[in-house]
Amino acid sequence: MSYNNIRLEVEDGVALVTLNRPEKLNALNAETVGELSRAFDEVADSPQVRGLILTGAGEKAFVAGADIRELAALVPAEAQRYAARGQKVFRRLEEMPKPSVAAINGYALGGGLELAMACTVRVASSQARLGQPEVKLGILPGYGGTQRLPRLVGRGRALDLLLSGEPIDAAEAHRIGLVNYVVPPADLLSFCRQWLRKVLANAPLAVALAMEAVDAGLDAGLEQGLRLEAAAFGVATATEDRREGMQAFLEKRKPAFAGK
Ligand code: COA
């Protein structure tokens, strides 16, 4: 499939999706969001791809937000559709039963931070800056920022970032739990690949079930979440991978999971 504003490369079971409009700091215009949607479908449907990494082209930015030139031309009904469409695409990424890593190589602002928050985990280069500056433009986040940010860092810290509009550096983002790891810029992609390799060496169905239990349980509340966890636990126990995992432990060898 051909893309204008992103690159999609698959290597060793891992898809690398690179936002590729460096001259505009990889700002998300409607065309790019459409391409992300197609890329996520491609990744979800490909049995060869087991995980993905998202990053930005160039030295400066992961994604510096939604494209302000496009936003400036929207009337309210269009703006609502624009937000709903982006939300749907980001949700597709979040719900995919394949782990995703945001490799945040620079600015992750507005829609860029929202995209990173839809990933399973976030790894920031020590030079990254993250924020939700929308209120400085007279709008608020529209791609899930008001919902995912408090879920990740808590209500008070989320409101601080959302209302001040001020960006934070990678160290502060790590301190508040917005990113999982901070690494030197030169190590960013290799660290993300290594993290995914570790996860992908585990039982694939168990990994997917754990992701689903966290995602669905967070919104359903504790009681329903616990029921969901118990049901998922039952399903995992029926897999061949469970037999292999436990057998390998008892035989003091590495498991060979088949994803069955
Ligand atoms: N939408 C559209 N274009 C954007 C953009 C965005 N969100 N962010 C950056 N760009 C464009 C700039 O307009 C500029 O284009 P030009 O060369 O045609 O003028 C180019 O990318 C480079 O950006 P520039 O502002 O010159 O880089 P900088 O290093 O001086 O500043 C930022 C970097 C990230 C601080 C600054 O670009 C910025 O504040 N961007 C907007 C961030 C934002 O508010 N995002 C939320 C949007 S809802």
Side-chain angles (χ1 to χ4, degrees):
M1 220 174 278
S2 76
Y3 299 101
N4 293 324
N5 301 324
I6 67 172
R7 283 199 310 262
L8 172 60
E9 297 147 284
V10 177
E11 189 191 317
D12 217 6
V14 171
L16 176 63
V17 178
T18 306
L19 280 298
N20 192 22
R21 277 213 309 160
E23 70 289 355
K24 296 289 177 197
L25 304 188
N26 305 320
L28 295 173
N29 57 9
E31 187 186 21
T32 307
V33 172
E35 291 187 4
L36 280 177
S37 176
R38 283 198 281 131
F40 295 157
D41 283 345
E42 212 179 310
V43 166
D45 293 345
S46 165
Q48 281 86 45
V49 178
R50 297 182 51 213
L52 68 152
I53 298 172
L54 266 103
T55 196
E59 304 276 287
K60 274 175 80 171
F62 174 70
V63 172
D67 190 311
I68 298 172
R69 198 166 288 281
E70 276 188 5
L71 292 181
L74 296 179
V75 300
E78 289 168 339
Q80 187 176 358
R81 278 198 299 275
Y82 194 94
R85 172 139 191 282
Q87 287 175 357
K88 195 169 153 206
V89 174
F90 288 16
R91 185 71 178 136
R92 172 94 170 104
L93 166 67
E94 186 174 50
E95 282 187 320
M96 204 186 294
K98 303 185 181 188
S100 54
V101 185
I104 305 173
N105 54 307
Y107 287 113
L109 301 175
L113 180 52
E114 291 170 298
L115 179 61
M117 289 192 292
C119 289
T120 314
V121 295
R122 282 145 295 287
V123 181
S125 131
S126 50
Q127 287 173 5
R129 291 183 72 73
L130 304 88
Q132 297 284 171
E134 287 86 347
V135 290
K136 292 180 186 284
L137 298 165
I139 54 172
L140 69 157
Y143 288 168
T146 65
Q147 302 307 302
R148 293 195 179 92
L149 192 56
R151 281 170 170 77
L152 273 173
V153 304
R155 180 177 183 272
R157 284 168 174 154
L159 283 167
D160 183 9
L161 288 171
L162 290 164
L163 303 189
S164 71
E166 292 296 325
I168 55 175
D169 63 20
E172 175 66 359
H174 185 244
R175 193 186 70 79
I176 66 173
L178 182 53
V179 301
N180 299 74
Y181 301 97
V182 179
V183 300
D187 299 343
L188 183 64
L189 279 184
S190 60
F191 183 95
C192 293
R193 285 190 193 284
Q194 224 176 327
W195 184 88
L196 265 182
R197 256 200 300 278
K198 215 167 35 179
V199 172
L200 297 180
N202 295 326
L205 297 172
V207 165
L209 285 168
M211 286 169 61
E212 192 186 346
V214 169
D215 191 36
L218 263 179
D219 287 326
L222 184 63
E223 284 306 325
Q224 269 198 25
L226 288 173
R227 268 199 293 278
L228 202 126
E229 182 188 81
F233 193 81
V235 170
T237 302
T239 62
E240 284 178 25
D241 284 348
R242 171 262 198 174
R243 199 172 326 123
E244 167 63 11
M246 296 196 178
Q247 197 71 32
F249 175 83
L250 295 174
E251 293 170 3
K252 300 188 189 304
R253 61 172 172 84
K254 275 200 169 153
F257 293 118
K260 290 182 186 160

